[in-house]
């Protein structure tokens, strides 16, 4: 995990952008335990280690092609919103027929799940998150896309470590820039990162 995180930071540093990314100092052990208590889960070791190094970002536009890494307070806020939807019960039942998983059988085909832990957001109600309650073919700790517009839940990486490795590869390969005005993707068919991941998934 640390190797890939450092690679990402080196990519931003080489563009003189690391300070603009405003990565927070790490969370304390007490803060991490309180987060796990709030979420009623044990976090995967690699994600926990990441939070102990950088407790997310201070700014809204972030390191994931413009999407921010949530700090602990942000994780709680987003999770609370989804937990309220899940606790209501009706939404999952009402939307059951329109939910799916890709690959099939890897993510439970529901609208909300209290064991999906968001670590990023797009300000439209969609997230990259850690799935601690996978379907029969899935892996505990897999990184998924879920949210208001994401009826098809997509597995993008087997773990948070694998996600960071993938992100480092994308940041190093594709053309992009960032300044005080925000993120700019210079690819011909620039897409929302979630949609881009779906297209890449289709190609593999």
């Amino acid at each position: 995990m640390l190797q890939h995180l450092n690679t990402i930071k080196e990519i931003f540093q080489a563009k003189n952008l690391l300070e603009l990314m405003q990565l927070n100092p790490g969370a304390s052990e007490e803060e991490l335990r309180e987060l796990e208590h709030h979420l009623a889960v044990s976090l995967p070791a690699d994600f926990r280690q990441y939070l102990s190094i950088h407790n997310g970002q201070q700014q809204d536009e972030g390191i994931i092609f413009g999407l921010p890494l949530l700090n602990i307070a942000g994780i709680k806020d987003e999770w609370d919103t989804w937990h309220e939807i899940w606790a209501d019960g009706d939404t999952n039942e009402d939307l059951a027929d329109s939910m799916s998983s890709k690959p099939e059988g890897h993510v439970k085909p529901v609208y909300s799940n209290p064991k999906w832990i968001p670590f990023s957001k797009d300000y439209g109600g969609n997230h990259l998150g850690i799935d601690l309650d996978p379907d029969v073919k899935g892996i505990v700790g897999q990184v998924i896309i879920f949210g208001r517009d994401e009826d098809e839940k997509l597995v993008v990486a087997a773990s948070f470590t694998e996600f960071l490795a993938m992100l480092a590869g994308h940041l190093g390969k594709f053309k992009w820039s960032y300044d005080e005005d925000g993120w700019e993707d210079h690819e011909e068919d620039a897409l929302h990162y979630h949609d881009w991941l779906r297209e890449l998934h289709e190609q593999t």
Side-chain angles (χ1 to χ4, degrees), residues 150-188:
E150 305 289 0
D151 291 352
E152 182 183 68
K153 319 305 175 185
L154 176 69
V155 177
V156 299
S159 66
F160 186 70
T161 295
E162 186 176 296
F163 170 77
L164 290 181
M166 179 186 69
L167 177 61
H170 292 164
L171 289 168
K173 176 181 179 181
F174 297 107
K175 297 177 182 177
W176 57 273
S177 61
Y178 185 87
D179 57 27
E180 289 85 351
D181 295 324
W183 190 283
E184 185 173 357
D185 189 338
H186 299 286
E187 294 298 310
E188 280 189 22

Side-chain angles (χ1 to χ4, degrees), residues 93-162:
E93 184 175 347
D94 292 344
L95 297 177
D97 290 342
S98 60
M99 298 295 109
S100 62
S101 164
K102 193 167 191 176
E104 186 176 354
H106 285 67
V107 185
K108 289 185 175 177
V110 295
Y111 184 66
S112 62
N113 186 324
K115 292 192 177 182
W116 294 346
I117 313 302
F119 63 78
S120 185
K121 65 178 181 180
D122 71 352
Y123 300 96
N126 305 295
H127 306 275
L128 287 159
I130 295 176
D131 181 4
L132 300 179
D133 183 30
D135 210 348
V136 291
K137 296 180 181 178
I139 301 170
V140 174
Q142 63 190 5
V143 172
I144 66 171
I145 293 172
F146 72 96
R148 186 187 68 178
D149 305 311
E150 305 289 0
D151 291 352
E152 182 183 68
K153 319 305 175 185
L154 176 69
V155 177
V156 299
S159 66
F160 186 70
T161 295
E162 186 176 296

Side-chain angles (χ1 to χ4, degrees), residues 37-51:
H37 176 75
H38 186 90
L39 304 176
V41 300
S42 293
L43 295 171
D46 58 352
F47 185 63
R48 210 175 189 280
Q49 183 187 15
Y50 146 72
L51 286 174

